[in-house]
Amino acid sequence: MKDNFSTQSDQYAKYRPKYPNDFFDYLGTIIKNKHVAWDCGTGNGQVAIELAKRFTMVYATDISVAQLAQAQQLPNVIYSVQAAEKTNFPNDFFDLITVAQAIHWFDFEKFYGEIKRTAKPNATLVVMGYGKIEVSPEIDTIISDFYKNTIGNYWDKERKYIDELYKTIPFPFEEIETPSFSISYNWSLDHFMGYLGTWSAVKHYINDTMQNPLDVIENQLEDLWERDVVKKIKFPLLLRIGIL
């Protein structure tokens, strides 16, 4: 699995969006046994923390030590450095397995074999993520051009699964129909630029050219978004839920 997120892990924790409460409330209605959960690819632990409010014990794994160092410590959350495809968890252990904005980096066949081994019968797999940010037609046009043309060649090939809204990932499970959710915030331009700076393609561009591609669009955005103004931003939540 690639590790694009160990560098500037504090920025990732600061600027990346969190999943909404109504989504976790919904999960609570469809999962009967709330004993043991595994949040795989936990990053800075944002999903694990929410699961800890609802489950007796949560195990959260990631390959990035730097990301895990940013995670909030709770008595019922156990963090460990482990790859998604091979863990030290026992067989038939989990009631719920979640993967947030990470499954596109995994070896699907090996990961699915591992979750089938570690999940209890009829456990639930939740694969989630978020699509491209939406602000306004004018700003979205600038970001779309930046995304496709300025840094387009710097995205890892796995990014296509996000662009395809996770609809094309292999998903060999009994899938259940889900409601639609979105993530909304009121952000300043500074926070918005901070979020764009966490994109892996931006980091690849900087490493390759020694220049920050955000410098160009920041001037364009300032014409549409004054520094002291907050704007409503939205991400579509990507969601696949299956019974194991």
Side-chain angles (χ1 to χ4, degrees):
M1 178 180 170
K2 296 178 182 178
D3 181 5
N4 286 330
F5 307 105
S6 284
T7 58
Q8 297 180 312
S9 56
D10 58 330
Q11 301 299 299
Y12 193 89
K14 180 177 180 181
Y15 292 116
R16 282 295 177 108
K18 296 178 172 58
Y19 297 90
N21 288 331
D22 60 345
F23 166 69
F24 289 105
D25 292 341
Y26 164 72
L27 285 187
T29 67
I30 65 171
I31 299 170
K32 295 180 180 179
N33 298 317
K34 300 179 180 66
H35 302 301
V36 187
W38 172 22
D39 184 38
C40 183
T42 194
N44 55 52
Q46 59 165 270
V47 170
I49 296 305
E50 291 299 324
L51 295 179
K53 300 174 184 177
R54 298 162 175 85
F55 279 75
T56 304
M57 184 62 65
V58 178
Y59 293 82
T61 63
D62 204 280
I63 63 168
S64 171
V65 175
Q67 283 282 351
L68 292 175
Q70 300 293 325
Q72 179 183 351
Q73 302 298 311
L74 291 176
N76 64 330
V77 179
I78 298 176
Y79 297 100
S80 61
V81 179
Q82 299 194 67
E85 299 85 354
K86 185 175 177 58
T87 69
N88 60 15
F89 299 127
N91 297 344
D92 303 325
F93 191 53
F94 295 111
D95 301 294
L96 169 70
I97 298 172
T98 58
V99 189
Q101 200 77 355
I103 197 168
H104 51 288
W105 302 115
F106 297 172
D107 180 311
F108 292 114
E109 184 176 358
K110 291 180 180 178
F111 174 59
Y112 288 156
E114 186 68 354
I115 65 174
K116 289 175 181 178
R117 180 186 70 80
T118 59
K120 295 177 183 177
N122 298 313
T124 304
L125 169 66
V126 177
V127 174
M128 68 190 96
Y130 45 86
K132 283 192 287 186
I133 192 169
E134 302 169 8
V135 186
S136 70
E138 296 83 4
I139 291 174
D140 294 351
T141 297
I142 293 172
I143 298 306
S144 180
D145 180 71
F146 176 76
Y147 184 95
K148 294 177 182 178
N149 299 319
T150 304
I151 61 171
N153 291 334
Y154 290 92
W155 287 110
D156 295 272
K157 61 183 177 60
E158 293 89 348
R159 179 71 190 187
K160 70 173 186 174
Y161 293 113
I162 296 287
D163 292 336
E164 295 161 357
L165 308 179
Y166 274 171
K167 293 180 179 179
T168 57
I169 64 170
F171 204 74
F173 308 103
E174 178 188 345
E175 190 163 3
I176 66 175
E177 188 174 348
T178 64
S180 296
F181 297 93
S182 62
I183 306 169
S184 297
Y185 285 100
N186 291 315
W187 277 1
S188 66
L189 177 57
D190 286 339
H191 195 109
F192 182 70
M193 296 303 298
Y195 162 70
L196 296 181
T198 68
W199 282 3
S200 58
V202 170
K203 297 176 184 178
H204 293 331
Y205 186 105
I206 293 171
N207 290 336
D208 184 49
T209 68
M210 304 304 293
Q211 295 180 328
N212 190 339
L214 294 174
D215 292 341
V216 176
I217 64 165
E218 186 166 12
N219 294 329
Q220 295 177 275
L221 292 172
E222 284 180 333
D223 293 335
L224 300 169
W225 192 338
E226 296 179 14
R227 289 285 178 179
D228 59 348
V229 172
V230 295
K231 290 183 179 291
K232 183 176 181 179
I233 62 90
K234 185 173 74 171
F235 298 86
L237 195 152
L238 317 180
L239 185 60
R240 306 285 298 272
I241 297 181
I243 306 301
L244 302 174

